[in-house]
Amino acid sequence: MNIVVWNEYRHEKINQDVARIYPEGIHNVIAEYLRKENMIVGTATLDEDEHGLTDELLDKTDVLIWWGHKAHDEVQDAIIEKVYQRVLNGMGLIVLHSGHFSKIFKKLMGTSCDLKWRQAGEMERLWVTNPSHPIAEGITEYIELEQEEMYGEFFDIPEPESIVFLSWFAGGEVFRSGCTYTRGKGKIFYFRPGHETYPTYHNGQIMKVIANAARWAYSPKGSKLIFGKTEPLNLY
Amino acid sequence: MNIVVWNEYRHEKINQDVARIYPEGIHNVIAEYLRKENMIVGTATLDEDEHGLTDELLDKTDVLIWWGHKAHDEVQDAIIEKVYQRVLNGMGLIVLHSGHFSKIFKKLMGTSCDLKWRQAGEMERLWVTNPSHPIAEGITEYIELEQEEMYGEFFDIPEPESIVFLSWFAGGEVFRSGCTYTRGKGKIFYFRPGHETYPTYHNGQIMKVIANAARWAYSPKGSKLIFGKTEPLNLY
Amino acid sequence: MNIVVWNEYRHEKINQDVARIYPEGIHNVIAEYLRKENMIVGTATLDEDEHGLTDELLDKTDVLIWWGHKAHDEVQDAIIEKVYQRVLNGMGLIVLHSGHFSKIFKKLMGTSCDLKWRQAGEMERLWVTNPSHPIAEGITEYIELEQEEMYGEFFDIPEPESIVFLSWFAGGEVFRSGCTYTRGKGKIFYFRPGHETYPTYHNGQIMKVIANAARWAYSPKGSKLIFGKTEPLNLY
Amino acid sequence: MNIVVWNEYRHEKINQDVARIYPEGIHNVIAEYLRKENMIVGTATLDEDEHGLTDELLDKTDVLIWWGHKAHDEVQDAIIEKVYQRVLNGMGLIVLHSGHFSKIFKKLMGTSCDLKWRQAGEMERLWVTNPSHPIAEGITEYIELEQEEMYGEFFDIPEPESIVFLSWFAGGEVFRSGCTYTRGKGKIFYFRPGHETYPTYHNGQIMKVIANAARWAYSPKGSKLIFGKTEPLNLY
């Protein structure tokens, strides 16, 4: 299983608070955890050539993990188109936190993906609402994060195939925080937590969810989908 | 549109706090509101003959609303079977609050319908998560109830067809509070709020949801479903 | 209820077989039927200015019906963007037949919307799989079309919220022919039949489905969705 | 992974046509295939004590496969209740063919599970409609069965979480043939083919689907679900 963690990797370079939590970047913290789970993990970042997402890399990627925030617009449409085609052809995609506004997520959802938000360091509690879903494996009733950014409903997404987590926020909001989708042959998981100024990706439960999701989103590529003009199979 | 509001109608007779809020019973408060919405509304209660649910009444009922709590076991299986058959044949069903544990709801869901709970008079806020669903019509972002019983996840129900409301509770829980289902030709809506010791059914927004749900759950009976042995339509 | 029927309106002008069936264009046949159902119906076509979809028209359109086939690429992106925003804000959209490959449908679905096809004038039978769905109201077990183009699975669409019709084709294929979605506040219905060389839109059952779908897809615009930065509702 | 194949095992003893195809019973053909897939497989049949479904056996069963037809009514309610509780607690369940009318399937679905049928040895073609679902792994576009019993829509089941297969029948019907559900922590798959007078379970593709389904339906039991009275997690 080949995983690639893509990170915008800008906050970490210019914001000391973020750099303190993720000195090597969010992508490397996630990659390291997944390697311990026996996955083969590469990374790619916005400021690399082709944002690091070369054909060579994408061709062998089973699951792509995406973290972006302030530079969604700088991601080239041509790269997004390549990622999009790969998802339809079976590459898994895990979209984290502010990736809800990434070009790739909006293109796959067909909605604005807009939401309410508040950056106030309040408590988030993620309740498991589909306890036997593979993504919730090993998670007990809920995950508690002492401090997170708030995301609140209405979250403008298509009705998820499954809602694995629902978040409670101290300030009074709720949020569909763990949502699964299929697009073409590709499996997609949106997972809410992970604001850059909090140590969310150092939380073992959060990382277990991401590892579970990577395993779930992986699918053997299988046979090629057949479209187009076709002869009748039965006489009439 | 013929509506019947069924109520266990026990708390109101023995608990003075409840009697003060619902002197004529929860059913009559709901019925009165719906009549103002131009629906024809009858009522039925547990201690009547056949729990008030005679064939004559059921045969002309388009939507049945159900409130029960402490006497689920006293409802006769034969009556439940009749209600069940009518739901499959197109009668709408709205199950309120503690009705989650009613025989009819469990039979239609196929699960335990169990949940967490706490009776502590805390704030509940119901967020709209499907803003263009007919059941949410006229409801702005959320409904706030100063005091309610808490119901928390995991709520053991089948994945709803649509989740119209998600609840936030002051004590830290979330809940899928407005859930739609189809069983046979019948439309079902589960709506969480309505503990007997709080004036929830005097809240205009809550009642608007119930009226919306009654309209949504109504369906013209249409043609009879055809099952069983059948001749081929095409030669082969 | 204000309906607009949009039609590419090219086949009718250059193909005599099509012109014989739809001398005034597919859009006018559909529009005329809906007017008899007491809807206010306008039309718009590709070769008009702004494809006929002016702001003035769109602003008062409750439901847009879309038929296109050979000229999807000629529809300007700026017009599609306007239609897309209106759907998210609550305008209903009914996509007919070869509209599965229209820019607007692909943008809202987030998939390729590809499928198998065969133009061989074979029988199609559309089976009702959700008999109490408002879109199936008044339709008995199935609709039979003597001659239609075949569309076959795999149809690359997101898992529908409801599948109202499944098609059987004489040549051996099946197809999810009536699919509902919600995007933002907009309700979307894809309805398969309607190849231009067959008199499908002169079939009363097919037209009943389209009229039902228009009623279902209509939603009162309701309150504006609220997104963005927000203050806490509860103290913590 | 411990699998148990339950079979009514009556037809095989009294009908020579069936006995010729399944001399040791349907259960043993299925069990043998799954053993080659490295699963630990036991069997149980109606006429054994407790229908072969002792507590000892059920306690170690990860996935139960169910084939029944003419003797659904002879299955004791107490045994069904035990199976039901285990499904809610995470035991997978695969219901085959005429098992659609079994007590356990109807109890878990909450509907009549009725359908149309015809025993005329016609061709069935099962089209894959969710190509990256684990249950469809290794199956190309469709599975063709030269002769099968026909099951036709309307099939009175709750809207499936995923429809993995849709069937086409030569006589003109379609059917939702591969349907997934979750009930409590248990995963359920209904798979249509398998009339006793045809060699369907000797078909390698059909058996691959059943093996895939067994793997998919397996879930680590995980932590116990917590229900009931609960203390607040946050102060208010």
Side-chain angles (χ1 to χ4, degrees), chain D residues 4-103:
Chain D
V4 169
V5 185
W6 189 90
N7 184 13
E8 190 179 281
Y9 199 26
R10 290 271 177 90
H11 292 285
E12 295 95 327
K13 295 178 192 163
I14 57 172
N15 181 328
Q16 293 212 342
D17 292 343
V18 180
R20 215 168 296 130
I21 303 170
Y22 300 111
E24 313 292 321
I26 283 172
H27 50 300
N28 279 312
V29 169
I30 295 174
E32 203 173 329
Y33 183 96
L34 297 179
R35 284 184 196 119
K36 286 183 200 147
E37 299 272 316
N38 296 317
M39 301 176 191
I40 300 167
V41 188
T43 62
T45 56
L46 179 65
D47 292 326
E48 294 174 61
D49 247 30
E50 301 184 56
H51 312 318
L53 297 170
T54 60
D55 282 343
E56 201 193 337
L57 185 74
L58 286 173
D59 284 348
K60 61 182 187 197
T61 302
D62 293 312
V63 179
L64 179 64
I65 298 175
W66 193 278
W67 196 102
H69 182 205
K70 53 188 283 182
H72 293 314
D73 284 350
E74 294 182 42
V75 181
Q76 300 165 49
D77 290 342
I79 304 292
I80 291 301
E81 185 60 30
K82 289 200 303 186
V83 171
Y84 175 74
Q85 291 302 335
R86 259 124 181 139
V87 171
L88 296 189
N89 283 314
M91 183 177 73
L93 180 70
I94 299 172
V95 175
L96 297 174
H97 188 62
S98 41
H100 74 90
F101 256 171
S102 62
K103 286 181 178 176

Side-chain angles (χ1 to χ4, degrees), chain C residues 159-184:
Chain C
E159 190 95 34
E161 292 171 22
S162 179
I163 299 176
V164 185
F165 298 100
L166 285 179
S167 283
W168 176 97
F169 289 95
E173 288 86 359
V174 297
F175 198 73
R176 289 169 287 173
S177 280
C179 301
T180 70
Y181 296 95
T182 309
R183 292 290 181 269

Side-chain angles (χ1 to χ4, degrees), chain A residues 61-204:
Chain A
T61 302
D62 293 311
V63 179
L64 179 64
I65 297 174
W66 194 278
W67 197 101
H69 183 205
K70 55 188 280 185
H72 293 312
D73 284 349
E74 294 182 42
V75 182
Q76 301 165 48
D77 290 341
I79 304 291
I80 290 301
E81 185 61 30
K82 288 200 304 185
V83 171
Y84 175 73
Q85 291 301 335
R86 260 123 181 140
V87 171
L88 296 190
N89 283 312
M91 183 178 75
L93 180 70
I94 299 171
V95 175
L96 297 174
H97 190 62
S98 42
H100 74 92
F101 256 170
S102 63
K103 286 180 178 177
I104 185 62
F105 190 60
K106 290 194 290 185
K107 187 176 176 72
L108 286 159
M109 294 297 106
T111 57
S112 76
C113 302
D114 212 342
L115 46 74
K116 293 193 183 67
W117 60 274
R118 176 174 59 243
Q119 226 284 64
E122 72 205 83
M123 174 178 283
E124 173 177 15
R125 186 177 294 110
L126 296 108
W127 288 92
V128 175
T129 48
N130 192 339
S132 63
H133 197 288
I135 293 178
E137 199 179 308
I139 305 299
T140 46
E141 296 192 276
Y142 56 81
I143 302 172
E144 219 170 81
L145 299 169
E146 279 303 312
Q147 289 203 308
E148 253 293 351
E149 183 180 19
M150 184 285 293
Y151 279 7
E153 297 281 348
F154 174 65
F155 182 21
D156 183 18
I157 47 171
E159 189 95 34
E161 293 171 22
S162 179
I163 299 175
V164 185
F165 298 99
L166 286 179
S167 284
W168 177 97
F169 289 95
E173 287 86 0
V174 297
F175 197 73
R176 290 170 287 174
S177 279
C179 300
T180 71
Y181 296 95
T182 309
R183 291 290 181 270
K185 294 202 290 183
K187 288 175 192 153
I188 300 164
F189 182 57
Y190 174 76
F191 192 42
R192 200 215 74 83
H195 191 64
E196 67 272 8
T197 59
Y198 306 113
T200 298
Y201 299 118
H202 292 293
N203 179 303

Side-chain angles (χ1 to χ4, degrees), chain C residues 1-4 29-42 62-63 207-208 210-212 214-215 218:
Chain C
M1 226 173 95
N2 288 285
I3 312 289
V4 169
V29 169
I30 295 174
E32 202 172 332
Y33 183 95
L34 298 179
R35 282 182 198 120
K36 286 182 202 149
E37 299 272 314
N38 295 318
M39 302 177 191
I40 300 166
V41 189
D62 293 310
V63 180
M207 288 313 304
K208 188 189 284 281
I210 294 175
N212 286 343
R215 277 182 284 260
Y218 168 76

